[in-house]
Amino acid sequence: MVTNLPNRARVVVIGGGIVGASVAYHLAHLGWTDVVLLEQGQLSCGTTWHAAGLVGQLRASESGTRLVQYSAALYQSLEAETGLGTGYKECGGVTVARTPERMVQLLRTAAAAEAFDLECEILTPAQALERVPILETGDLQGAIWLPRDGTANPTDVTQSLTKGARQLGVRIFERTRVIGMTMAGGIVTTVRTDQGDIETDIVVNCAGQWAKAIGAMAGVNVPLHSAEHFYVVTDQITGVDRMMPILRDPDGYTYMKEEVGGLVVGGFEPVAKPWVSPDRLPHPFEFQLLDEDWEHFEILMESALHRVPILQQTGIKKFYNGPESFTPDNQFILGRAPEVRNLFVGAGFNSVGIASAGGAGRALAQWIVGGEAPSDLVGVDIRRFAPFNGNNQWLRARVGEVLGLHYSVPWPNREFQTARPFRRSPVHHLVEAAGASFGSRMGWERPNFFAPKGQSPAIDYSWGKQNWIPWVDAEQRATRGAVAIFEQTSFGKLLVSGRDATDLLQWLCTADIDCSVGRAVYTGVLNERGTYEADVTVTRLAHNEYLWVTGSASINRDRDWISRHIGPEQQVSVTDVTGASAVFGVMGPRSRELLQSLSSADLSTDAFPFATSREIDLGMSTVRATRITYVGELGWELTVPAEFAVGVFELLTEAGREFGLANAGYYAINALRLEKGYRAFGTELNPDYGPVEAGLLFATKLSSDIDFLGRSAVESAKTAGVRRRLVSFILDDAGAMMWGGELLLRDGVGAGQVTSAAFGATIGSCVGLAYVWCPDGLVVTPDWINDGTWQVNIGGTIMGLRVQLSAPYDPKSERVRI
């Protein structure tokens, strides 16, 4: 029985695994020492204790890589602070490739490492054998070597973190189970436990696979589901020494690391085994494993026996089957819950919890203390999910695929196959009948491209030009030369209204939104650091009413951002109206002719100039027509009440035959916007960059005296200059394909990374956007950009390209205003 549980604490952290320990430790180091950490069993007893402990530093994004780099440094320094070792050893890691496709991925990985300033070396099979002498290399294409990779003992790290937290005043209580929460005014006021209640200001949910159930106590959605996860520990093996590198064989779904002279052999099988529903997790469940399943493990074991033949003569000491939670998109969950103002979440780490815990714990602690995410954490932000993502049946259908994706080839446009179709627009059946190949975004089924009649709309994944390229080229040509219709219902749509709506949005938006009724304004939304939190269009519908249009994936994030900034005396309501209407983009030089043939409204340039938005008749329906574009051509976005969507789409399709109307999808939008140099949130725009870096000062009101959130930081950046700058580029070789993430070189030295790329049919080559930087850390200037010779590393092949600050297509935007 716990007898000294306090009745109040500033922060209550729920979960005594490595993530909860890291959050408590870092809160204390930031000066917040009135922290209580609660563990229902013993520290590290859930998932942490049976984790393999791999700390691979290179991740798909720079922000993810920085988190793990910090983790590695922390785990190496903790013993000096706390006197408790972490078992960390920097043994390096070797990842091998069996196929040419995998080798291209590794070459891309090596280029990304250079962009992130992380050591990485490309190896021949013979060089890989020198690093790992027990390796079978006969079928290998090559490998890479990451010397800074390491391993840690998860339980030791947790104990060291908690001791460091205790030393600074954090109180830790084991055998204390959270059984509920008391709410008042939209916040958690009390955490209820089986040992007593604790009043608190902030709750941090780090409960691992129990995080979904803990979140539900406060009405917070934490979408994760457990799966069975396997590895074995072998007897000692001659030739395996303590510093043997981590071996990853992703084509064989396996990894191996040294353990007491033997090997840990684990992996990520293509189709995993979901465990029990999150609302049926057993209790108590401490330091427990599930039943052995050698049949399911067979695919991993056979691969391991092939890659390391000595395993065929080696005994197995222990079979581990430990449940672990996974999220629907293979990214962990971090941040402040949108449903409750004072509840934060750090959970669902998808088998990278040990590697990420140090950095993620620090980032979440900084978020709690500072009130904002400290860096670009958009990819892991809990606000990327909606309530429907918490459906346990849907999660169970998805989780088996998610675990297997860890070691599948990460094709740049890979789509999830499971738990689909999910959300569908009113005209889904019509675009499906037209040959659409659907992708998924925020659950919406969206047409990526349209296959010609008689052709399969399936994607043949590859690193080169994929099968759909000619079809998307045709969609681009139709948009540039005639007219195309884009089904864009998945756009996020918020209605912001009330007495103080204008004042609130004027503060949040970089552009001046206090415009006339019926005008659309493109604007950024910044934080106090002057970096991007959103990139949207705001249309004034009435004196105190605005339509906020955002990307599909950003709707919950944006709604939360607006809502949290409503002052106590302000009267503003924010309503998600995404599903109430469909959106059809009618774009191209003949778009006016098509729409004018169906409407009595005057759509001429004088009567309906760019950025105008008003209701018009379209056939027998009334729709909102907004003259705006994301493809760089004359066009309108039509917002259509859902009940009229089918009729309007059929009307446009029928009437459009006379004008050469084509169906077009999101792949075409991406290529067209990159030819035009248009930015996108999540790639070019994120909380690491502001308007100066992104070249978007024109979308700010700096020329006025109107204040906005982040203004002072933007002014400082404008005065001082920036060390990264967004540029457009055109690839010299029209036959090559780029996807984003490639390394740019200036005069032979790494000096940039591609954020987005696509094949532009009008330009006739790959185009895109990239952030560039001076290797010596100096301010990036136009002269520095223009004076260099630029190249790009495409899967290990160096090619020339042209870099420029202006858009490759129609840089003066003359076509959008005709």
Side-chain angles (χ1 to χ4, degrees):
M1 178 74 177
V2 175
T3 58
N4 58 342
L5 192 71
N7 57 22
R8 175 168 178 79
R10 185 179 192 182
V11 181
V12 173
V13 179
I14 303 171
I18 192 170
V19 177
S22 179
V23 172
Y25 170 89
H26 286 98
L27 282 172
H29 274 268
L30 290 171
W32 284 32
T33 56
D34 184 13
V35 176
V36 165
L37 186 151
L38 305 176
E39 167 54 48
Q40 65 178 341
Q42 297 173 260
L43 294 174
S44 79
C45 72
T47 299
T48 296
W49 75 274
H50 61 71
L54 308 185
V55 185
Q57 294 192 28
L58 184 59
R59 301 293 161 180
S61 67
E62 183 173 3
S63 58
T65 299
R66 299 297 177 232
L67 290 183
V68 181
Q69 283 183 303
Y70 173 79
S71 293
L74 174 66
Y75 300 164
Q76 293 176 81
S77 66
L78 270 175
E79 184 172 3
E81 176 186 347
T82 69
L84 295 180
T86 61
Y88 190 84
K89 59 179 180 179
E90 193 177 85
C91 55
V94 171
T95 303
V96 301
R98 301 188 185 194
T99 65
E101 293 79 12
R102 181 70 66 179
M103 194 64 217
V104 171
Q105 180 214 332
L106 295 188
L107 292 169
R108 291 174 62 90
T109 297
E114 184 174 348
F116 303 157
D117 196 26
L118 189 69
E119 294 179 61
C120 181
E121 181 183 347
I122 300 166
L123 303 179
T124 65
Q127 290 171 322
L129 182 61
E130 292 175 5
R131 300 280 184 186
V132 187
I134 59 175
L135 191 62
E136 167 57 48
T137 62
D139 61 340
L140 296 183
Q141 301 284 319
I144 58 172
W145 163 244
L146 291 159
R148 298 303 178 194
D149 279 6
T151 66
N153 183 305
T155 298
D156 289 350
V157 174
T158 304
Q159 294 293 342
S160 191
L161 286 168
T162 52
K163 183 175 180 182
R166 280 193 183 103
Q167 289 176 168
L168 293 174
V170 172
R171 290 166 288 177
I172 298 173
F173 298 91
E174 298 177 286
R175 305 291 182 197
T176 306
R177 188 184 187 200
V178 174
I179 58 174
M181 298 185 201
T182 301
M183 310 287 294
I187 65 172
V188 178
T189 59
T190 304
V191 175
R192 296 169 47 230
T193 83
D194 59 0
Q195 304 296 325
D197 297 347
I198 308 176
E199 293 182 3
T200 188
D201 298 326
I202 292 173
V203 178
V204 189
N205 179 3
C206 299
Q209 58 191 335
W210 288 270
K212 190 172 193 294
I214 292 294
M217 294 175 182
V220 170
N221 177 41
V222 185
L224 49 80
H225 195 292
S226 296
E228 299 184 29
H229 194 35
F230 309 91
Y231 66 83
V232 298
V233 180
T234 75
D235 292 333
Q236 290 190 349
I237 300 173
T238 302
V240 172
D241 64 53
R242 180 179 176 275
M243 294 302 291
M244 189 194 91
I246 301 164
L247 172 63
R248 298 179 180 89
D249 180 14
D251 292 311
Y253 321 118
T254 55
Y255 66 82
M256 302 178 210
K257 70 159 193 170
E258 184 274 339
E259 180 96 346
V260 196
L263 291 177
V264 167
V265 180
F268 299 92
E269 65 276 19
V271 180
K273 287 182 63 179
W275 194 36
V276 298
S277 177
D279 57 3
R280 297 175 59 191
L281 293 173
H283 175 78
F285 192 80
E286 300 176 43
F287 299 110
Q288 288 184 241
L289 296 172
L290 306 180
D291 293 338
E292 297 179 358
D293 188 341
W294 285 100
E295 182 178 354
H296 193 82
F297 191 71
E298 183 178 8
I299 188 173
L300 302 179
M301 199 67 221
E302 286 187 354
S303 172
L305 292 172
H306 166 72
R307 184 57 53 219
V308 178
I310 198 171
L311 288 174
Q312 298 171 25
Q313 289 85 44
T314 304
I316 303 296
K317 285 200 300 188
K318 179 71 174 177
F319 187 111
Y320 284 82
N321 178 6
E324 183 175 352
S325 59
F326 293 82
T327 64
D329 62 358
N330 207 21
Q331 299 293 326
F332 58 82
I333 297 173
L334 209 67
R336 178 161 36 194
E339 302 94 336
V340 177
R341 293 196 305 253
N342 66 334
L343 193 148
F344 292 77
V345 180
F349 277 80
N350 307 287
S351 284
V352 297
I354 307 308
S356 303
R362 180 178 68 162
L364 190 55
Q366 291 171 334
W367 199 332
I368 293 166
V369 172
E372 294 179 354
S375 60
D376 175 21
L377 297 171
V378 172
V380 299
D381 193 321
I382 190 172
R383 293 172 295 176
R384 72 190 187 274
F385 293 121
F388 53 72
N389 292 120
N391 181 291
N392 287 335
Q393 294 185 58
W394 184 83
L395 287 167
R396 185 176 182 85
R398 171 59 59 83
V399 73
E401 179 183 9
V402 169
L403 184 146
L405 291 178
H406 278 70
Y407 279 178
S408 64
V409 176
W411 303 117
N413 55 337
R414 179 181 58 197
E415 295 284 352
F416 285 103
Q417 301 300 311
T418 53
R420 294 181 59 194
F422 197 33
R423 302 175 79 186
R424 284 174 273 192
S425 83
V427 299
H428 176 87
H429 62 293
L430 299 178
V431 293
E432 183 177 37
S437 176
F438 291 98
S440 179
R441 192 75 162 172
M442 184 52 87
W444 286 102
E445 299 292 324
R446 312 193 314 173
N448 282 334
F449 61 86
F450 290 81
K453 189 173 183 179
Q455 297 287 331
S456 169
I459 299 174
D460 294 333
Y461 291 117
S462 74
W463 291 112
K465 291 185 176 180
Q466 297 180 1
N467 61 311
W468 48 264
I469 290 286
W471 309 335
V472 172
D473 288 353
E475 294 174 17
Q476 294 181 60
R477 287 191 292 271
T479 308
R480 296 277 189 240
V483 58
I485 184 169
F486 298 88
E487 204 283 276
Q488 297 173 294
T489 299
S490 64
F491 273 175
K493 299 175 276 289
L494 296 173
L495 195 64
V496 184
S497 58
R499 183 193 68 194
D500 300 298
T502 300
D503 290 343
L504 175 65
L505 293 181
Q506 194 74 310
W507 168 245
L508 292 180
C509 296
T510 61
D512 187 355
I513 58 85
D514 191 6
C515 55
S516 58
V517 172
R519 185 159 184 83
V521 178
Y522 167 67
T523 180
V525 179
L526 310 180
N527 52 44
E528 290 184 358
R529 302 191 310 278
T531 57
Y532 282 96
E533 294 290 341
D535 176 63
V536 301
T537 299
V538 176
T539 301
R540 194 166 198 171
L541 304 180
H543 178 65
N544 287 328
E545 187 174 63
Y546 296 82
L547 180 64
W548 173 295
V549 178
T550 186
S552 307
S554 297
I555 184 67
N556 297 316
R557 177 189 178 87
D558 289 10
R559 180 176 57 180
D560 178 71
W561 186 260
I562 299 170
S563 299
R564 289 186 186 279
H565 285 86
I566 298 173
E569 304 302 321
Q570 289 185 320
Q571 294 181 10
V572 182
S573 66
V574 185
T575 307
D576 183 356
V577 295
T578 300
S581 56
V583 176
F584 307 136
V586 181
M587 300 289 160
R590 303 199 71 183
S591 59
R592 179 182 284 121
E593 296 175 71
L594 168 57
L595 296 177
Q596 194 68 82
S597 73
L598 300 171
S599 179
S600 63
D602 185 351
L603 302 179
S604 66
T605 298
D606 290 340
F608 211 119
F610 184 76
T612 298
S613 179
R614 63 175 68 124
E615 288 190 338
I616 66 170
D617 62 296
L618 200 68
M620 291 183 289
S621 299
T622 300
V623 306
R624 173 165 292 279
T626 303
R627 189 175 165 194
I628 201 165
T629 181
Y630 196 44
V631 298
E633 297 294 337
L634 171 70
W636 280 260
E637 288 178 1
L638 306 179
T639 303
V640 185
E643 63 269 29
F644 297 120
V646 170
V648 168
F649 194 86
E650 290 175 335
L651 179 68
L652 289 167
T653 301
E654 178 65 28
R657 293 173 183 170
E658 178 185 346
F659 303 98
L661 180 71
N663 284 296
Y666 276 84
Y667 286 1
I669 290 175
N670 191 49
L672 293 163
R673 69 104 178 170
L674 290 173
E675 285 188 329
K676 195 67 181 65
Y678 290 155
R679 284 69 163 142
F681 185 76
T683 50
E684 288 75 44
L685 309 178
N686 62 53
D688 282 345
Y689 298 106
V692 182
E693 290 96 334
L696 292 178
L697 283 175
F698 73 89
T700 71
K701 42 188 179 257
L702 286 186
S703 60
S704 74
D705 60 359
I706 304 170
D707 200 7
F708 59 89
L709 181 59
R711 174 170 180 148
S712 60
V714 175
E715 290 174 330
S716 296
K718 182 181 178 183
T719 300
V722 293
R723 287 169 172 76
R724 294 198 177 198
R725 183 68 165 83
L726 194 66
V727 298
S728 288
F729 65 81
I730 304 171
L731 186 63
D732 290 346
D733 186 344
M737 189 64 196
M738 297 175 63
W739 298 102
E742 294 87 357
L743 175 72
L744 292 191
L745 302 102
R746 181 185 183 275
D747 298 337
V749 178
Q753 189 174 31
V754 176
T755 55
S756 302
F759 188 85
T762 309
I763 299 299
S765 187
C766 278
V767 295
L769 292 162
Y771 275 105
V772 298
W773 57 81
C774 295
D776 55 11
L778 298 178
V779 169
V780 175
T781 65
D783 287 345
W784 181 86
I785 293 170
N786 296 329
D787 291 346
T789 298
W790 290 90
Q791 296 172 300
V792 61
N793 182 332
I794 303 178
T797 301
I798 308 301
M799 297 184 176
L801 46 64
R802 288 167 283 164
V803 167
Q804 57 193 62
L805 289 171
S806 59
Y809 176 78
D810 188 25
K812 295 182 179 179
S813 295
E814 295 170 336
R815 293 182 62 85
V816 304
R817 300 179 185 277
I818 57 176

